[in-house]
Amino acid sequence: MKTIGLIGGMSWESTVSYYQIINKEVKRRLGGLHSAKVILYSVEFDEIEKCQSDGDWKKSGDILGKAAKSIEAAGADFILICTNTMHKVVPQIESMIQIPIIHIADATAQELLACQIRKVGLLGTKYTMTQDFYKQRLIDRGIDVITPDAADIDTVNDIIFHELCVGNIREESRRQFQRVIDNLKAKGAHGVILGCTEIGLLIHQTDSSLPVFDTTVIHAKQAVELALEV
């Protein structure tokens, strides 16, 4: 079994989900007392969020790059960054290490195509929804990406940072997400990407009028697939 490296803490709420999903999947596949070999480096999210707000992506990339180097030195075979937004700095991190980073957007594109979904709504932080670092990887695979209007982008972003990242799950916010998903469906989306690793704490398939693609689950399960490859 290969060793999975996780850069977490962005937020720690969703990092818990990664650890649970990975270990449950290993147990499901191998049985008995089997569990995953995991090295976790959990960063201080307040520091990262300040870099995001200030537009200082170079500094945040340096922080995550140092975490990646520590994970590599500890013996990981590959790395997952347990957040969608910070994949913006993947090229910078890759330049600092020798082991591969499993990109969350690539894993999601693979799952979408396997389900024959080529027109999809994207929910996430305002950075993920409005910038190209994530969307373009989907577009390059032939997937049409639809995002909410400006007001709904602000609503989704606020719920993520002010509620989900601090473990506050509110029914009113679930209804807001459901409304946004319905709007994406009306625009022609055939599925919806939960493109922030905390959204899965709030929205499940039973809450959505569209097929849900939870990036946390997709990413974590691909890690297990790679770890168990012969």
Side-chain angles (χ1 to χ4, degrees):
M1 183 189 301
K2 296 184 179 72
T3 300
I4 300 168
L6 300 178
I7 303 179
M10 301 170 284
S11 68
W12 68 261
E13 297 282 348
S14 60
T15 304
V16 171
S17 299
Y18 267 88
Y19 190 72
Q20 288 179 329
I21 294 163
I22 287 169
N23 280 291
K24 285 180 179 179
E25 183 66 8
V26 168
K27 181 179 179 180
R28 183 188 72 81
R29 294 180 60 163
L30 300 183
L33 297 176
H34 286 287
S35 59
K37 295 169 67 176
V38 175
I39 298 168
L40 169 63
Y41 190 117
S42 189
V43 300
E44 216 282 69
F45 188 36
D46 185 74
E47 185 178 15
I48 298 295
E49 193 281 326
K50 282 184 169 62
C51 291
Q52 293 175 347
S53 298
D54 294 342
D56 194 347
W57 297 98
K58 172 66 166 60
K59 182 178 179 181
S60 64
D62 287 340
I63 294 167
L64 298 192
K66 289 175 183 176
K69 288 176 70 174
S70 295
I71 290 171
E72 181 179 41
D77 292 290
F78 57 87
I79 290 175
L80 277 69
I81 304 171
C82 302
T83 167
N84 287 266
T85 299
M86 294 313 298
H87 279 71
K88 180 178 174 70
V89 296
V90 161
Q92 183 180 344
I93 301 169
E94 286 177 329
S95 72
M96 299 172 71
I97 57 175
Q98 300 301 313
I99 59 175
I101 295 173
I102 309 307
H103 200 292
I104 197 168
D106 294 345
T108 301
Q110 182 178 324
E111 184 70 13
L112 288 165
L113 294 174
C115 295
Q116 299 184 336
I117 301 289
R118 292 188 173 272
K119 193 169 188 177
V120 68
L122 174 62
L123 300 179
T125 66
K126 62 183 178 182
Y127 311 107
T128 301
M129 289 187 285
T130 61
Q131 298 181 17
D132 289 337
F133 69 92
Y134 191 98
K135 292 186 291 184
Q136 193 60 49
R137 292 183 89 102
L138 302 177
I139 294 167
D140 289 345
R141 299 287 291 274
I143 298 167
D144 188 8
V145 181
I146 304 170
T147 53
D149 62 27
D152 284 344
I153 285 174
D154 287 341
T155 296
V156 168
N157 188 75
D158 287 347
I159 291 171
I160 289 169
F161 280 101
H162 300 307
E163 298 176 21
L164 303 184
C165 285
V166 293
N168 186 10
I169 309 301
R170 298 176 62 245
E171 187 59 36
E172 170 58 28
S173 296
R174 182 176 287 111
R175 288 193 291 268
Q176 288 275 35
F177 266 75
Q178 288 173 319
R179 177 186 59 77
V180 174
I181 291 169
D182 288 344
N183 288 343
L184 292 171
K185 184 177 182 179
K187 291 181 178 180
H190 299 151
V192 61
I193 298 171
L194 306 187
C196 171
T197 53
E198 284 81 22
I199 298 177
L201 302 173
L202 178 70
I203 295 296
H204 306 93
Q205 185 58 68
T206 53
D207 302 311
S208 175
S209 59
L210 287 171
V212 162
F213 293 85
D214 186 336
T215 55
T216 302
V217 175
I218 293 167
H219 205 202
K221 287 188 174 182
Q222 185 170 95
V224 173
E225 188 71 29
L226 293 170
L228 299 183
E229 278 183 353
V230 177

Short mmCIF file of all heavy atoms in Angstrom, two decimals, residues 36-83:
data_model
loop_
_atom_site.label_atom_id
_atom_site.label_comp_id
_atom_site.label_asym_id
_atom_site.label_seq_id
_atom_site.Cartn_x
_atom_site.Cartn_y
_atom_site.Cartn_z
N ALA A 36 -5.75 3.10 6.05
CA ALA A 36 -4.85 3.76 5.10
C ALA A 36 -3.57 4.22 5.78
O ALA A 36 -3.55 4.55 6.96
CB ALA A 36 -5.56 4.96 4.48
N LYS A 37 -2.50 4.24 4.99
CA LYS A 37 -1.24 4.85 5.43
C LYS A 37 -1.30 6.32 5.00
O LYS A 37 -1.29 6.63 3.81
CB LYS A 37 -0.05 4.13 4.79
CG LYS A 37 0.08 2.68 5.24
CD LYS A 37 1.10 1.93 4.40
CE LYS A 37 2.50 2.44 4.60
NZ LYS A 37 3.49 1.62 3.85
N VAL A 38 -1.38 7.21 5.98
CA VAL A 38 -1.62 8.63 5.71
C VAL A 38 -0.62 9.49 6.48
O VAL A 38 -0.38 9.26 7.67
CB VAL A 38 -3.05 9.03 6.11
CG1 VAL A 38 -3.26 10.54 5.95
CG2 VAL A 38 -4.08 8.26 5.30
N ILE A 39 -0.09 10.49 5.80
CA ILE A 39 0.70 11.54 6.45
C ILE A 39 -0.07 12.85 6.26
O ILE A 39 -0.32 13.26 5.13
CB ILE A 39 2.11 11.66 5.86
CG1 ILE A 39 2.89 10.35 6.07
CG2 ILE A 39 2.86 12.84 6.47
CD1 ILE A 39 4.17 10.29 5.26
N LEU A 40 -0.46 13.48 7.35
CA LEU A 40 -1.25 14.70 7.31
C LEU A 40 -0.45 15.88 7.83
O LEU A 40 0.10 15.82 8.93
CB LEU A 40 -2.53 14.53 8.14
CG LEU A 40 -3.35 15.80 8.42
CD1 LEU A 40 -3.88 16.42 7.13
CD2 LEU A 40 -4.49 15.50 9.38
N TYR A 41 -0.42 16.94 7.02
CA TYR A 41 0.13 18.22 7.47
C TYR A 41 -1.03 19.21 7.46
O TYR A 41 -1.55 19.55 6.40
CB TYR A 41 1.25 18.68 6.53
CG TYR A 41 2.04 19.88 7.03
CD1 TYR A 41 3.40 19.77 7.30
CD2 TYR A 41 1.44 21.12 7.22
CE1 TYR A 41 4.14 20.86 7.74
CE2 TYR A 41 2.17 22.21 7.66
CZ TYR A 41 3.51 22.06 7.92
OH TYR A 41 4.24 23.14 8.37
N SER A 42 -1.45 19.65 8.63
CA SER A 42 -2.59 20.56 8.74
C SER A 42 -2.09 21.98 8.96
O SER A 42 -1.41 22.27 9.94
CB SER A 42 -3.50 20.13 9.90
OG SER A 42 -4.70 20.86 9.90
N VAL A 43 -2.41 22.87 8.03
CA VAL A 43 -1.93 24.26 8.09
C VAL A 43 -2.89 25.12 8.92
O VAL A 43 -3.98 24.68 9.30
CB VAL A 43 -1.78 24.87 6.67
CG1 VAL A 43 -0.79 24.07 5.86
CG2 VAL A 43 -3.13 24.96 5.96
N GLU A 44 -2.46 26.33 9.20
CA GLU A 44 -3.27 27.29 9.94
C GLU A 44 -4.11 28.07 8.95
O GLU A 44 -3.60 28.91 8.19
CB GLU A 44 -2.33 28.21 10.72
CG GLU A 44 -2.86 28.63 12.09
CD GLU A 44 -3.91 29.72 12.01
OE1 GLU A 44 -5.03 29.45 11.54
OE2 GLU A 44 -3.60 30.84 12.44
N PHE A 45 -5.42 27.79 8.93
CA PHE A 45 -6.27 28.31 7.86
C PHE A 45 -6.40 29.83 7.88
O PHE A 45 -6.52 30.47 6.83
CB PHE A 45 -7.65 27.65 7.92
CG PHE A 45 -8.53 27.97 6.74
CD1 PHE A 45 -8.01 28.11 5.47
CD2 PHE A 45 -9.90 28.11 6.90
CE1 PHE A 45 -8.82 28.40 4.38
CE2 PHE A 45 -10.73 28.39 5.82
CZ PHE A 45 -10.18 28.54 4.56
N ASP A 46 -6.40 30.43 9.06
CA ASP A 46 -6.53 31.89 9.14
C ASP A 46 -5.41 32.56 8.34
O ASP A 46 -5.63 33.56 7.65
CB ASP A 46 -6.50 32.35 10.59
CG ASP A 46 -6.76 33.85 10.71
OD1 ASP A 46 -7.92 34.26 10.54
OD2 ASP A 46 -5.80 34.59 10.98
N GLU A 47 -4.22 32.00 8.42
CA GLU A 47 -3.08 32.54 7.69
C GLU A 47 -3.28 32.42 6.18
O GLU A 47 -3.01 33.35 5.41
CB GLU A 47 -1.81 31.78 8.11
CG GLU A 47 -0.52 32.31 7.51
CD GLU A 47 0.70 31.55 8.00
OE1 GLU A 47 0.55 30.46 8.57
OE2 GLU A 47 1.81 32.06 7.79
N ILE A 48 -3.81 31.27 5.76
CA ILE A 48 -4.07 31.05 4.32
C ILE A 48 -5.18 31.97 3.83
O ILE A 48 -5.08 32.58 2.76
CB ILE A 48 -4.45 29.58 4.07
CG1 ILE A 48 -3.30 28.64 4.46
CG2 ILE A 48 -4.86 29.36 2.61
CD1 ILE A 48 -2.06 28.79 3.63
N GLU A 49 -6.25 32.10 4.61
CA GLU A 49 -7.39 32.94 4.20
C GLU A 49 -6.97 34.39 4.06
O GLU A 49 -7.43 35.09 3.15
CB GLU A 49 -8.53 32.79 5.21
CG GLU A 49 -9.86 33.36 4.72
CD GLU A 49 -9.96 34.87 4.83
OE1 GLU A 49 -9.39 35.44 5.80
OE2 GLU A 49 -10.62 35.49 3.96
N LYS A 50 -6.09 34.86 4.93
CA LYS A 50 -5.60 36.24 4.81
C LYS A 50 -4.83 36.42 3.50
O LYS A 50 -4.93 37.46 2.85
CB LYS A 50 -4.73 36.61 6.01
CG LYS A 50 -5.51 36.92 7.28
CD LYS A 50 -4.59 37.36 8.41
CE LYS A 50 -5.38 37.92 9.59
NZ LYS A 50 -6.28 36.94 10.20
N CYS A 51 -4.05 35.41 3.12
CA CYS A 51 -3.35 35.48 1.83
C CYS A 51 -4.35 35.55 0.68
O CYS A 51 -4.15 36.33 -0.27
CB CYS A 51 -2.45 34.25 1.65
SG CYS A 51 -1.03 34.16 2.74
N GLN A 52 -5.42 34.75 0.77
CA GLN A 52 -6.45 34.78 -0.28
C GLN A 52 -7.08 36.17 -0.37
O GLN A 52 -7.19 36.74 -1.46
CB GLN A 52 -7.53 33.74 0.03
CG GLN A 52 -7.07 32.29 -0.06
CD GLN A 52 -8.16 31.32 0.38
OE1 GLN A 52 -9.17 31.72 0.96
NE2 GLN A 52 -7.95 30.05 0.09
N SER A 53 -7.48 36.70 0.77
CA SER A 53 -8.15 38.01 0.79
C SER A 53 -7.24 39.11 0.26
O SER A 53 -7.70 40.05 -0.40
CB SER A 53 -8.60 38.35 2.21
OG SER A 53 -9.53 37.42 2.68
N ASP A 54 -5.94 39.00 0.55
CA ASP A 54 -4.98 40.01 0.11
C ASP A 54 -4.50 39.78 -1.32
O ASP A 54 -3.75 40.61 -1.87
CB ASP A 54 -3.76 40.01 1.04
CG ASP A 54 -4.09 40.46 2.45
OD1 ASP A 54 -5.15 41.10 2.63
OD2 ASP A 54 -3.29 40.18 3.37
N GLY A 55 -4.90 38.66 -1.93
CA GLY A 55 -4.42 38.33 -3.26
C GLY A 55 -2.97 37.91 -3.29
O GLY A 55 -2.33 37.92 -4.36
N ASP A 56 -2.44 37.50 -2.15
CA ASP A 56 -1.03 37.11 -2.06
C ASP A 56 -0.92 35.58 -2.24
O ASP A 56 -0.60 34.85 -1.30
CB ASP A 56 -0.44 37.54 -0.72
CG ASP A 56 1.09 37.47 -0.72
OD1 ASP A 56 1.66 36.87 -1.65
OD2 ASP A 56 1.70 38.01 0.23
N TRP A 57 -1.16 35.14 -3.45
CA TRP A 57 -1.14 33.70 -3.74
C TRP A 57 0.28 33.14 -3.67
O TRP A 57 0.48 31.97 -3.35
CB TRP A 57 -1.77 33.44 -5.12
CG TRP A 57 -3.20 33.85 -5.15
CD1 TRP A 57 -3.72 35.01 -5.63
CD2 TRP A 57 -4.33 33.11 -4.64
NE1 TRP A 57 -5.09 35.04 -5.47
CE2 TRP A 57 -5.49 33.89 -4.87
CE3 TRP A 57 -4.46 31.87 -4.02
CZ2 TRP A 57 -6.76 33.47 -4.50
CZ3 TRP A 57 -5.73 31.44 -3.65
CH2 TRP A 57 -6.86 32.23 -3.88
N LYS A 58 1.26 33.97 -3.95
CA LYS A 58 2.66 33.52 -3.86
C LYS A 58 2.99 33.10 -2.43
O LYS A 58 3.59 32.04 -2.20
CB LYS A 58 3.58 34.65 -4.30
CG LYS A 58 5.08 34.39 -4.07
CD LYS A 58 5.63 33.27 -4.93
CE LYS A 58 7.15 33.25 -4.95
NZ LYS A 58 7.74 33.08 -3.60
N LYS A 59 2.58 33.90 -1.46
CA LYS A 59 2.86 33.56 -0.07
C LYS A 59 2.13 32.28 0.34
O LYS A 59 2.71 31.41 1.00
CB LYS A 59 2.44 34.71 0.85
CG LYS A 59 2.74 34.45 2.32
CD LYS A 59 2.36 35.66 3.18
CE LYS A 59 2.63 35.36 4.65
NZ LYS A 59 2.24 36.53 5.51
N SER A 60 0.88 32.17 -0.06
CA SER A 60 0.14 30.95 0.29
C SER A 60 0.76 29.73 -0.37
O SER A 60 0.81 28.65 0.22
CB SER A 60 -1.34 31.08 -0.10
OG SER A 60 -1.51 31.19 -1.50
N GLY A 61 1.25 29.90 -1.60
CA GLY A 61 1.93 28.80 -2.29
C GLY A 61 3.20 28.39 -1.57
O GLY A 61 3.53 27.19 -1.49
N ASP A 62 3.92 29.38 -1.03
CA ASP A 62 5.13 29.08 -0.25
C ASP A 62 4.79 28.27 1.00
O ASP A 62 5.49 27.30 1.35
CB ASP A 62 5.83 30.37 0.16
CG ASP A 62 6.55 31.07 -0.99
OD1 ASP A 62 6.82 30.39 -2.01
OD2 ASP A 62 6.82 32.27 -0.88
N ILE A 63 3.71 28.66 1.66
CA ILE A 63 3.29 27.94 2.88
C ILE A 63 2.94 26.50 2.57
O ILE A 63 3.39 25.55 3.23
CB ILE A 63 2.09 28.66 3.54
CG1 ILE A 63 2.50 30.05 4.05
CG2 ILE A 63 1.52 27.80 4.68
CD1 ILE A 63 1.33 30.93 4.44
N LEU A 64 2.13 26.30 1.51
CA LEU A 64 1.72 24.94 1.15
C LEU A 64 2.87 24.16 0.56
O LEU A 64 2.95 22.93 0.74
CB LEU A 64 0.54 24.98 0.18
CG LEU A 64 -0.75 25.64 0.69
CD1 LEU A 64 -1.90 25.35 -0.28
CD2 LEU A 64 -1.10 25.16 2.09
N GLY A 65 3.76 24.85 -0.13
CA GLY A 65 4.94 24.17 -0.68
C GLY A 65 5.82 23.61 0.42
O GLY A 65 6.34 22.48 0.30
N LYS A 66 6.00 24.37 1.49
CA LYS A 66 6.80 23.88 2.63
C LYS A 66 6.11 22.69 3.28
O LYS A 66 6.77 21.73 3.70
CB LYS A 66 7.00 25.01 3.63
CG LYS A 66 7.95 26.10 3.14
CD LYS A 66 8.04 27.27 4.12
CE LYS A 66 8.93 28.37 3.56
NZ LYS A 66 8.95 29.57 4.46
N ALA A 67 4.78 22.73 3.36
CA ALA A 67 4.04 21.59 3.90
C ALA A 67 4.24 20.37 3.02
O ALA A 67 4.45 19.25 3.51
CB ALA A 67 2.55 21.94 4.00
N ALA A 68 4.18 20.58 1.70
CA ALA A 68 4.37 19.47 0.76
C ALA A 68 5.76 18.86 0.89
O ALA A 68 5.93 17.63 0.83
CB ALA A 68 4.12 19.95 -0.66
N LYS A 69 6.77 19.70 1.06
CA LYS A 69 8.14 19.20 1.22
C LYS A 69 8.26 18.36 2.49
O LYS A 69 8.95 17.33 2.51
CB LYS A 69 9.12 20.37 1.25
CG LYS A 69 9.31 21.05 -0.10
CD LYS A 69 10.21 22.27 0.00
CE LYS A 69 11.66 21.88 0.26
NZ LYS A 69 12.55 23.07 0.20
N SER A 70 7.59 18.78 3.54
CA SER A 70 7.62 18.01 4.79
C SER A 70 6.95 16.65 4.61
O SER A 70 7.45 15.63 5.11
CB SER A 70 6.91 18.79 5.91
OG SER A 70 7.59 19.98 6.22
N ILE A 71 5.83 16.65 3.89
CA ILE A 71 5.11 15.39 3.63
C ILE A 71 5.97 14.46 2.78
O ILE A 71 6.05 13.25 3.03
CB ILE A 71 3.77 15.69 2.94
CG1 ILE A 71 2.80 16.36 3.92
CG2 ILE A 71 3.14 14.40 2.38
CD1 ILE A 71 1.54 16.87 3.29
N GLU A 72 6.62 15.03 1.78
CA GLU A 72 7.50 14.23 0.92
C GLU A 72 8.65 13.64 1.75
O GLU A 72 8.96 12.44 1.63
CB GLU A 72 8.06 15.10 -0.20
CG GLU A 72 8.98 14.36 -1.16
CD GLU A 72 9.47 15.27 -2.27
OE1 GLU A 72 9.80 16.45 -1.99
OE2 GLU A 72 9.53 14.80 -3.43
N ALA A 73 9.25 14.44 2.59
CA ALA A 73 10.36 13.97 3.42
C ALA A 73 9.93 12.89 4.40
O ALA A 73 10.73 12.02 4.77
CB ALA A 73 10.97 15.15 4.18
N ALA A 74 8.66 12.93 4.79
CA ALA A 74 8.14 11.93 5.73
C ALA A 74 7.82 10.60 5.06
O ALA A 74 7.53 9.63 5.76
CB ALA A 74 6.90 12.48 6.43
N GLY A 75 7.85 10.57 3.72
CA GLY A 75 7.69 9.30 3.03
C GLY A 75 6.43 9.11 2.22
O GLY A 75 6.15 7.98 1.77
N ALA A 76 5.65 10.16 1.98
CA ALA A 76 4.45 10.01 1.16
C ALA A 76 4.81 9.72 -0.28
O ALA A 76 5.83 10.17 -0.79
CB ALA A 76 3.60 11.28 1.24
N ASP A 77 3.93 8.96 -0.94
CA ASP A 77 4.13 8.63 -2.36
C ASP A 77 3.48 9.65 -3.29
O ASP A 77 3.90 9.81 -4.43
CB ASP A 77 3.57 7.23 -2.65
CG ASP A 77 4.38 6.15 -1.96
OD1 ASP A 77 5.53 5.92 -2.38
OD2 ASP A 77 3.87 5.54 -1.01
N PHE A 78 2.45 10.31 -2.81
CA PHE A 78 1.77 11.37 -3.57
C PHE A 78 1.00 12.24 -2.59
O PHE A 78 0.85 11.88 -1.42
CB PHE A 78 0.85 10.80 -4.65
CG PHE A 78 -0.21 9.86 -4.14
CD1 PHE A 78 -1.43 10.33 -3.70
CD2 PHE A 78 0.01 8.48 -4.11
CE1 PHE A 78 -2.42 9.47 -3.22
CE2 PHE A 78 -0.95 7.61 -3.64
CZ PHE A 78 -2.17 8.10 -3.20
N ILE A 79 0.53 13.39 -3.09
CA ILE A 79 -0.10 14.38 -2.21
C ILE A 79 -1.48 14.78 -2.73
O ILE A 79 -1.68 14.94 -3.94
CB ILE A 79 0.79 15.64 -2.09
CG1 ILE A 79 2.06 15.32 -1.28
CG2 ILE A 79 0.04 16.81 -1.44
CD1 ILE A 79 3.05 16.46 -1.21
N LEU A 80 -2.41 14.95 -1.79
CA LEU A 80 -3.69 15.58 -2.06
C LEU A 80 -3.76 16.88 -1.26
O LEU A 80 -3.39 16.90 -0.08
CB LEU A 80 -4.86 14.69 -1.62
CG LEU A 80 -5.34 13.60 -2.57
CD1 LEU A 80 -4.30 12.50 -2.69
CD2 LEU A 80 -6.67 13.02 -2.08
N ILE A 81 -4.19 17.95 -1.90
CA ILE A 81 -4.47 19.20 -1.20
C ILE A 81 -5.96 19.19 -0.89
O ILE A 81 -6.79 19.13 -1.81
CB ILE A 81 -4.11 20.42 -2.06
CG1 ILE A 81 -2.64 20.34 -2.50
CG2 ILE A 81 -4.37 21.71 -1.30
CD1 ILE A 81 -2.25 21.39 -3.52
N CYS A 82 -6.30 19.21 0.40
CA CYS A 82 -7.68 18.97 0.82
C CYS A 82 -8.54 20.24 0.75
O CYS A 82 -9.18 20.65 1.73
CB CYS A 82 -7.70 18.39 2.22
SG CYS A 82 -6.79 16.86 2.40
N THR A 83 -8.52 20.87 -0.39
CA THR A 83 -9.31 22.06 -0.66
C THR A 83 -9.29 22.28 -2.16
O THR A 83 -8.31 21.93 -2.82
CB THR A 83 -8.73 23.29 0.05
OG1 THR A 83 -9.34 24.48 -0.47
CG2 THR A 83 -7.23 23.41 -0.16
#
